[in-house]
Amino acid sequence: MRKRRVAAPIAFLIAVLSVVAGAQQTTPSSLAPSSLRDWLSMIASDDFEGRETFSEGLALAASYIADRLRESGVKPAGDRGLYFQRVSVLDVRSSNRSTVTVEVKGQTRTFRNGQGVTFPSDVGGKRTLILDDVEFVGYGIDAGTSHNDYRGLNMKGKVAVWLGSTTPSSVDQKQSERLLRNREALAIEEMGAAASISLAPIPAPPLTDSSVASGVRGIFTTSQRLDSARAPSIAGDDAFYEFLFSGSAIKFDDLKARSQRRQDIAPFRLEGVKVTFNLDADYQVVRTQYTRNVVGIVEGSDPRLRDTYVALGAHYDHLGYAQSAPGPDRIFNGADDDGTGVAALIGLARAFATGPRPRRSLLFVWHAGEEKGLYGSKYFVDYPVVPLDQIVAQLNIDMIGRNRNNDPAESNVFYAVGSDRISSELHNILMEANAASSKPFRIDFELNDSQDPERFYYRSDHYSYASRGIPVIFFFTGVHPDYHQVTDSVDRIDFDKMSRIANLVYDVARRLANLDHVPARDFRGPRLGKGSKGKLPAN
């Protein structure tokens, strides 16, 4: 009896300490407003000269981040045991001899690059792709309730074909340029088409025999592997389209005339059509530029799960400085974009490194070159420091220190983008973590809407991971008048809001890292948009 009477207070004390530890776990001191302010004040200072991608200023910022990781005991995970992963950005000259062969009800024609069709300079590695499911999708746009050419269509593994140099009259013309510009991304990245074909806007000048033999030569810039598979996206001239539609009851001339009158055009399947893409290009690197990702790991505590990772990221580059400017302030300090993400990630790394270790490992990546075209994150997923299939989710932080459009009504709002697209379970973990906080946010999903005109899902580093099937959440508070201006400065940051979001990211990452299974990947696509809230059903 005496042992039990002594054990009871001990058990009670342990329980109390566990509660205290749990409270400390959700409010680490490194995520307090004062800590974040200290780091951000340095990151967004003039000393780093706006952190342009290939600049000395960005190199200084990388060293500053690495020093903070070293102080916290975060394990380096870059090249040669350092915190830095060198990112090669290549200017490449392409000699492109690709062809496309179209078979229409037994009749076959082959079109060479530069003769009736135009391939992009970067077609990826050499391969042959045969597709016999070809869908004409009208104008190839999704303008929501006013006009959606993909309504009711399953485009997985199909060829998407469209035409039209403008949108139909039912669509607001203010949206036209964006809708037409994004047709390829919509078809391939969002609808899952295996290839796309568009109508060339004007007839291309004929090529000489010698230029056809060598292939049309073009220079492109990339940080991705040159031998990876790319979904082909080509443009065809009128003669190509006439043959492509030659077996259809509705002929190309009729469809083109309707598009020129901006009339609606109903999609239909091109029966009896098979398209063979022979992707054949040689690449010559004509210039190489180097930048660096900063990478660290906090190892998990569970021997069974420590080789799986929750990835957290932010981009640490910005726009640099204007070499000639009318006023004295010429440095784009990028305090919100994305100094807030950089500082929050430093705090998160320190919190996990110095606090209770979760079961899985935490992977922290400060990506370079986001402003140039996601260079750092695209490079990372092609050359990962850990196996990609061991990353269970990626949490991206980009601009979390302001209110959208400086609206005071947004003080308790942030925008979650992508949480529902690959894993409903990940989305629900976010909602549960937010509900459990002492002051929950109103999480707005407007910018996750498939009709989002700014297409934020595709514009920050999380998308490089999502394109490889990794569940993501993009934490974002929206743009404001100082976005990409020299006035994006530290004095305009709401550090209390920034701290609260960073703490929520911490709790989501902690829950993921302690989860005994990988969050289910159900790939149900974007369902959350304007007016959406709450958890999603499991299936």
Side-chain angles (χ1 to χ4, degrees):
M1 290 294 292
R2 287 182 63 88
K3 288 184 178 179
R4 288 186 179 179
R5 290 174 65 87
V6 172
I10 292 174
F12 176 76
L13 179 60
I14 291 172
V16 171
L17 291 174
S18 296
V19 171
V20 173
Q24 291 174 339
Q25 196 173 47
T26 56
T27 56
S29 61
S30 64
L31 298 179
S34 58
S35 298
L36 298 175
R37 182 188 294 273
D38 288 344
W39 293 318
L40 181 57
S41 296
M42 189 61 193
I43 286 293
S45 69
D46 286 355
D47 292 348
F48 294 159
E49 299 175 343
R51 310 187 307 276
E52 200 274 336
T53 295
F54 301 110
S55 70
E56 180 185 17
L58 191 73
L60 293 171
S63 296
Y64 177 80
I65 295 167
D67 287 345
R68 306 291 78 75
L69 299 182
R70 191 176 295 108
E71 290 171 356
S72 302
V74 177
K75 177 183 175 181
D79 304 332
R80 302 181 305 282
L82 302 175
Y83 288 105
F84 309 118
Q85 178 192 39
R86 189 170 72 176
V87 175
S88 300
V89 181
L90 310 176
D91 288 352
V92 182
R93 178 174 287 115
S94 171
S95 298
N96 194 337
R97 297 172 298 277
S98 299
T99 65
V100 57
T101 299
V102 180
E103 181 181 329
V104 181
K105 295 184 176 179
Q107 301 296 313
T108 300
R109 286 188 61 183
T110 296
F111 299 83
R112 303 174 67 181
N113 185 34
Q115 292 185 319
V117 295
T118 302
F119 284 77
S121 297
D122 181 9
V123 294
K126 297 182 181 183
R127 64 184 181 123
T128 298
L129 183 63
I130 302 173
L131 301 168
D132 59 5
D133 205 341
V134 183
E135 193 83 36
F136 173 63
V137 292
Y139 293 85
I141 63 172
D142 179 357
T145 55
S146 63
H147 185 98
N148 182 0
D149 288 311
Y150 290 99
R151 184 174 289 114
L153 293 181
N154 179 0
M155 295 301 298
K156 300 291 186 184
K158 297 181 181 181
V159 181
V161 179
W162 63 76
L163 49 76
S165 59
T166 187
T167 55
S169 58
S170 58
V171 174
D172 180 359
Q173 287 304 289
K174 293 179 181 179
Q175 301 183 58
S176 289
E177 181 180 352
R178 173 187 61 83
L179 292 169
L180 297 173
R181 183 175 65 247
N182 291 328
R183 287 190 285 191
E184 177 186 328
L186 174 62
I188 292 172
E189 296 174 352
E190 194 159 320
M191 300 306 300
S196 71
I197 300 174
S198 60
L199 180 64
I202 56 174
L207 296 172
T208 64
D209 290 342
S210 60
S211 62
V212 169
S214 63
V216 177
R217 302 174 72 87
I219 292 180
F220 62 92
T221 301
T222 186
S223 62
Q224 295 178 271
R225 294 178 65 103
L226 296 172
D227 59 354
S228 60
R230 304 266 194 278
S233 292
I234 68 171
D237 64 11
D238 283 16
F240 173 86
Y241 264 72
E242 286 168 1
F243 182 71
L244 185 67
F245 284 85
S246 61
S248 171
I250 305 176
K251 301 305 180 188
F252 164 64
D253 287 343
D254 296 332
L255 295 169
K256 184 178 181 181
R258 288 183 66 84
S259 73
Q260 290 172 338
R261 295 192 294 267
R262 300 183 58 213
Q263 297 174 324
D264 285 349
I265 306 171
F268 58 88
R269 187 175 188 273
L270 291 174
E271 301 289 348
V273 175
K274 180 170 70 173
V275 181
T276 301
F277 296 93
N278 181 34
L279 305 173
D280 180 14
D282 291 323
Y283 304 115
Q284 178 188 3
V285 177
V286 296
R287 185 174 71 152
T288 300
Q289 298 180 88
Y290 295 125
T291 185
R292 297 186 290 183
N293 292 329
V294 185
V295 192
I297 287 175
V298 173
E299 292 186 334
S301 61
D302 188 327
R304 183 175 65 88
L305 296 179
R306 70 162 57 110
D307 289 334
T308 63
Y309 301 85
V310 178
L312 299 97
H315 75 89
Y316 75 109
D317 65 297
H318 195 54
L319 304 182
Y321 60 91
Q323 296 186 22
S324 60
D329 189 357
R330 61 182 59 194
I331 296 177
F332 294 87
N333 298 105
D336 194 24
D337 183 16
D338 182 29
T340 52
V342 173
L345 204 60
I346 292 172
L348 286 160
R350 178 165 294 188
F352 281 110
T354 60
R357 295 288 179 98
R359 300 171 69 191
R360 282 192 172 83
S361 297
L362 288 304
L363 170 68
F364 299 91
V365 186
W366 288 259
H367 301 102
E370 189 265 3
E371 300 286 2
K372 298 286 189 182
L374 313 186
Y375 285 161
S377 57
K378 286 180 178 179
Y379 185 91
F380 185 87
V381 298
D382 268 356
Y383 302 94
V385 302
V386 301
L388 279 187
D389 60 5
Q390 296 298 97
I391 298 176
V392 304
Q394 198 267 350
L395 309 178
N396 181 39
I397 310 169
D398 192 350
M399 299 179 62
I400 59 166
R402 300 280 294 269
N403 293 338
R404 186 182 184 188
N405 296 324
N406 290 339
D407 184 355
E410 296 254 327
S411 61
N412 195 47
V413 175
F414 81 88
Y415 294 84
V417 179
S419 64
D420 64 326
R421 298 191 180 214
I422 297 174
S423 171
S424 298
E425 185 174 6
L426 175 62
H427 168 80
N428 288 341
I429 289 171
L430 167 66
M431 301 308 293
E432 290 165 359
N434 184 56
S437 66
S438 59
K439 184 182 177 182
F441 281 99
R442 179 170 70 83
I443 304 177
D444 195 313
F445 297 98
E446 176 188 344
L447 303 182
N448 183 63
D449 197 297
S450 60
Q451 307 305 316
D452 168 32
E454 297 296 332
R455 294 175 63 79
F456 282 110
Y457 179 64
Y458 303 97
R459 286 175 49 182
S460 191
D461 292 309
H462 59 276
Y463 182 68
S464 297
Y465 295 82
S467 68
R468 302 302 180 91
I470 297 171
V472 300
I473 304 175
F474 174 25
F475 294 83
F476 182 48
T477 53
V479 297
H480 43 72
D482 300 306
Y483 172 67
H484 281 194
Q485 303 297 317
V486 294
T487 49
D488 181 7
S489 53
V490 174
D491 60 296
R492 305 188 181 202
I493 299 300
D494 181 343
F495 284 98
D496 288 333
K497 181 174 185 177
M498 178 183 170
S499 172
R500 289 175 57 214
I501 296 174
N503 274 282
L504 179 59
V505 176
Y506 176 83
D507 194 27
V508 172
R510 181 180 60 83
R511 289 168 184 255
L512 287 166
N514 285 323
L515 202 64
D516 62 2
H517 62 278
V518 175
R521 303 183 182 188
D522 45 8
F523 294 96
R524 294 167 63 192
R527 290 151 289 150
L528 298 175
K530 295 180 181 178
S532 297
K533 60 182 179 180
K535 295 175 67 174
L536 292 167
N539 51 47

